[in-house]
Amino acid sequence: MDWMRFLTNPQNLLAIAVAVFTFATVMTLLGTLTQGASLERRMKAVSVRREELKRRSRQAIAQSGSSLRQSDEGFKKRVVERLQLSRYLEDPKVADKMAMAGFRGQQPLTAFYFFRFAAPFVMMAFAAFYVFVLNDFGLPLMSRVAIVFGAFMAGFYAPNLYLENRIQKRRQSIVQAFPDALDLLLICVESGMSIDAAIQKVSQEIGGQSIELAEELSLLSAELSYLPERRSAYEGLAKRTNHPGVKSVATAMIQAEQYGTPLGNALRTMAKENRDLRLSAAEKKAAALPAKLTVPMIVFFLPVLFVVILGPAIIKIQDINN
């Protein structure tokens, strides 16, 4: 029963929470040191994707833009197929969201359906075990039932929240480095390189700034080489990023190849527009900063400031009275 008393002690719970947050902070700082390894792993995944596209092209499968299927015969696959989760939890946009988050193939989609089914029951069971067995905190029955129901709802929406968070972080990384990538692409095109070679070169150079953008450009280069229509490759890039700046660049490239218009001028204009979009986004965040800092300053900074200012005076008054 010692571990039960340990888990039900509020001080121990606070210590565990502090340890978890400290560990997450350390891992975040260490993550910057492993960026090169992450880039190498993603480039290897893109190379595998290129080989799959080449094999599909040789087999003459006329399904441009369709996702490559990966072998997935694990436990999650069997659960999804037997319970028909892909049918009952069907979402027409989930495949596009998985691509925008950087997950490709059937295996991540199967894992998403599995965790969307299992997470509510797991969190509900954990909450029920805690509030009904370990410690009820003196709450009435209906309050504990409400906590269990809230845990069930949180588990149901947790996979979607994780996916949306992953999409936002990936899109932000791509948008931050995209104007610089367009400048590099413009230099390569004006130097006489073909658009395919230029995209491949830029994907190698931009990896130090944005691994996600390097991955997308490498994938675009592979799709330009092996998809039946080059238009599908550009549309796939715009669909995976889902950003107005990237969509406009993809449209400009499609029009340049279709009508033979100069690509250099279009890239120069698009680079300026994307840089303006990045600057406007930064200005928007800077304008919203004072309102966001109001509550933290009131809660954390002002009490400390009062203690620093009034503390010596209070100590002197106590010394005089003594």
Side-chain angles (χ1 to χ4, degrees):
M1 299 297 291
D2 294 337
W3 65 273
M4 294 180 65
R5 287 193 296 269
F6 177 81
L7 291 177
T8 55
N9 191 346
Q11 294 182 354
N12 294 333
L13 294 178
L14 180 61
I16 293 173
V18 172
V20 170
F21 286 129
T22 304
F23 178 76
T25 303
V26 173
M27 293 302 297
T28 302
L29 295 176
L30 293 178
T32 58
L33 302 177
T34 60
Q35 187 175 9
S38 179
L39 174 61
E40 182 179 356
R41 184 177 66 254
R42 294 191 181 212
M43 291 299 102
K44 183 178 180 180
V46 171
S47 177
V48 174
R49 168 86 173 185
R50 182 189 292 270
E51 294 299 326
E52 293 292 339
L53 283 170
K54 186 176 181 180
R55 189 179 303 112
R56 189 182 66 172
S57 178
R58 289 177 178 177
Q59 294 174 355
I61 300 178
Q63 293 180 353
S64 61
S66 59
S67 301
L68 294 175
R69 296 186 178 273
Q70 302 177 359
S71 59
D72 184 17
E73 301 297 336
F75 171 74
K76 296 188 292 293
K77 177 70 172 180
R78 294 193 297 269
V79 172
V80 171
E81 288 183 348
R82 291 180 181 179
L83 299 179
Q84 297 182 355
L85 298 181
S86 58
R87 176 183 176 184
Y88 295 109
L89 300 177
E90 183 179 2
D91 187 356
K93 296 182 180 180
V94 67
D96 296 337
K97 289 182 179 180
M98 297 293 288
M100 286 188 285
F103 301 114
R104 301 182 182 88
Q106 186 65 28
Q107 186 174 358
L109 188 61
T110 301
F112 176 79
Y113 282 127
F114 174 80
F115 284 111
R116 192 174 182 185
F117 169 76
F121 296 101
V122 172
M123 295 190 67
M124 181 182 67
F126 177 78
F129 179 74
Y130 194 89
V131 298
F132 284 100
V133 178
L134 295 182
N135 190 355
D136 57 0
F137 297 100
L139 297 175
L141 178 61
M142 292 305 299
S143 298
R144 285 179 284 171
V145 172
I147 292 175
V148 174
F149 181 74
F152 179 85
M153 296 302 297
F156 182 77
Y157 288 105
N160 288 331
L161 293 177
Y162 170 78
L163 190 61
E164 292 293 338
N165 187 36
R166 182 71 180 262
I167 291 173
Q168 291 294 333
K169 289 183 178 180
R170 183 179 178 84
R171 184 184 297 138
Q172 183 179 2
S173 176
I174 292 175
V175 171
Q176 288 292 330
F178 194 63
D180 299 332
L182 289 180
D183 291 335
L184 294 175
L185 189 63
L186 176 62
I187 294 173
C188 294
V189 170
E190 290 185 343
S191 66
M193 296 176 63
S194 64
I195 186 62
D196 295 5
I199 292 175
Q200 183 63 30
K201 181 65 175 178
V202 173
S203 67
Q204 298 173 1
E205 297 294 333
I206 205 65
Q209 187 174 356
S210 174
I211 298 176
E212 290 79 7
L213 182 57
E215 182 183 5
E216 290 294 337
L217 291 178
S218 298
L219 184 57
L220 174 62
S221 177
E223 291 180 345
L224 286 174
S225 302
Y226 300 114
L227 286 181
E229 295 183 2
R230 297 171 64 87
R231 181 188 184 95
S232 301
Y234 292 123
E235 290 177 349
L237 174 65
K239 190 176 182 180
R240 290 191 300 269
T241 54
N242 193 23
H243 186 265
V246 182
K247 289 181 179 179
S248 60
V249 172
T251 303
M253 289 184 175
I254 293 174
Q255 293 176 352
E257 292 195 359
Q258 185 174 1
Y259 300 109
T261 57
L263 187 58
N265 296 333
L267 289 176
R268 186 178 290 105
T269 303
M270 294 300 170
K272 183 178 182 303
E273 291 181 357
N274 281 271
R275 195 173 290 106
D276 293 339
L277 288 175
R278 184 175 63 180
L279 181 60
S280 63
E283 291 176 349
K284 183 179 179 181
K285 288 185 178 181
L289 189 60
K292 293 181 179 179
L293 285 178
T294 302
V295 175
M297 288 186 64
I298 294 175
V299 175
F300 299 104
F301 289 96
L302 291 181
V304 177
L305 185 62
F306 288 149
V307 170
V308 172
I309 295 175
L310 300 178
I314 295 175
I315 293 175
K316 288 184 179 179
I317 293 174
Q318 291 178 348
D319 292 339
I320 292 175
N321 294 330
N322 294 332

